[in-house]
Amino acid sequence: MRRRVKGLNFGKERESKVNLPLFQEVIIWILEIALTVVIAVVFTYFFGVRSSMVGLSMSPQLEDGDEVLIDQFSYKFISPKAGDVIAFFPNGNTNTHYYMKRIIGVPGDRVQITDGMVLVNGEAYEEQTEVARMEDAGSAADQITLGEDEYFVLGDNRNNSEDSRFANIGTVKDSYIIGKVWFVIAPKEKFGFMD
């Protein structure tokens, strides 16, 4: 009778056991991470493109360096309206920073600046914020009739703003608009929704 020796046995295949609970946990982690990334991308694209204000044209609402979120989604379904603060490329020039201004006139409106006051369709424009009387009417000294895809924008700091009154900005075409500036994220004293 031969005695069996314990030890290595190369002739016998080892049964492999799958650790099912560990495998399930890894799959759940992968799915959770993928879902988080998708939600972050969707949220950022639709509601939160982050940008910085450049210049003082929207002071005191927005100061140079203030961080904001821009909603790129809403204007795919609704049109921009008077009073909205928008981010846009001036004259469609994508090689510059976003400009941020307040919409005063929408397509079809007639805009004119007389004696420092804004007139829209012959009536004084009702301001969203307190603004100074304009010293320079620019091209709006004569009445401007907006085309079907044009918007007239002004900075809240009217006497220190490069806006639709001047040829290098002019009226803003719908295709130049990036989205609506809707939330200030920095500095913390201004944290909140835009007026």
Side-chain angles (χ1 to χ4, degrees):
M1 176 163 135
R2 280 181 95 175
R3 198 167 161 210
R4 233 172 151 186
V5 179
K6 289 187 178 182
L8 295 176
N9 186 356
F10 293 104
K12 189 176 180 186
E13 283 188 35
R14 190 171 176 197
E15 289 183 27
S16 85
K17 291 185 179 180
V18 175
N19 187 341
L20 193 57
L22 179 62
F23 180 73
Q24 287 174 333
E25 191 170 331
V26 168
I27 294 299
I28 289 170
W29 272 90
I30 290 171
L31 291 174
E32 285 177 351
I33 291 169
L35 182 62
T36 302
V37 168
V38 167
I39 289 171
V41 168
V42 168
F43 183 79
T44 300
Y45 178 76
F46 292 129
F47 301 108
V49 172
R50 185 177 178 158
S51 186
S52 295
M53 178 66 195
V54 177
L56 300 172
S57 68
M58 288 298 293
S59 180
Q61 178 83 24
L62 293 174
E63 301 289 347
D64 188 44
D66 286 0
E67 296 281 326
V68 298
L69 293 179
I70 301 167
D71 171 6
Q72 292 183 310
F73 186 65
S74 297
Y75 290 159
K76 294 185 186 313
F77 300 100
I78 59 170
S79 296
K81 63 183 186 320
D84 287 355
V85 176
I86 60 168
F88 64 95
F89 286 121
N91 292 314
N93 180 1
T94 58
N95 295 322
T96 186
H97 61 84
Y98 295 158
Y99 277 49
M100 296 177 204
K101 309 287 181 198
R102 190 175 301 277
I103 294 176
I104 303 299
V106 297
D109 281 349
R110 297 178 323 279
V111 180
Q112 186 171 14
I113 298 171
T114 307
D115 298 325
M117 285 181 41
V118 180
L119 302 174
V120 178
N121 299 323
E123 296 181 14
Y125 177 75
E126 195 173 314
E127 299 288 354
Q128 303 284 326
T129 60
E130 193 172 321
V131 296
R133 196 178 234 359
M134 278 178 281
E135 296 167 3
D136 187 359
S139 63
D142 297 322
Q143 183 173 277
I144 297 171
T145 302
L146 299 172
E148 63 182 31
D149 68 339
E150 294 179 321
Y151 295 85
F152 189 89
V153 297
L154 293 173
D156 287 352
N157 187 359
R158 301 285 163 82
N159 293 314
N160 189 13
S161 177
E162 196 175 26
D163 47 41
S164 289
R165 295 174 286 170
F166 306 106
N168 55 334
I169 301 294
T171 58
V172 177
K173 293 195 180 302
D174 193 40
S175 59
Y176 302 165
I177 298 174
I178 305 305
K180 180 179 181 177
V181 179
W182 70 284
F183 200 85
V184 180
I185 55 176
K188 63 182 176 184
E189 308 85 55
K190 291 186 177 180
F191 186 84
F193 294 98
M194 288 283 295
D195 293 334

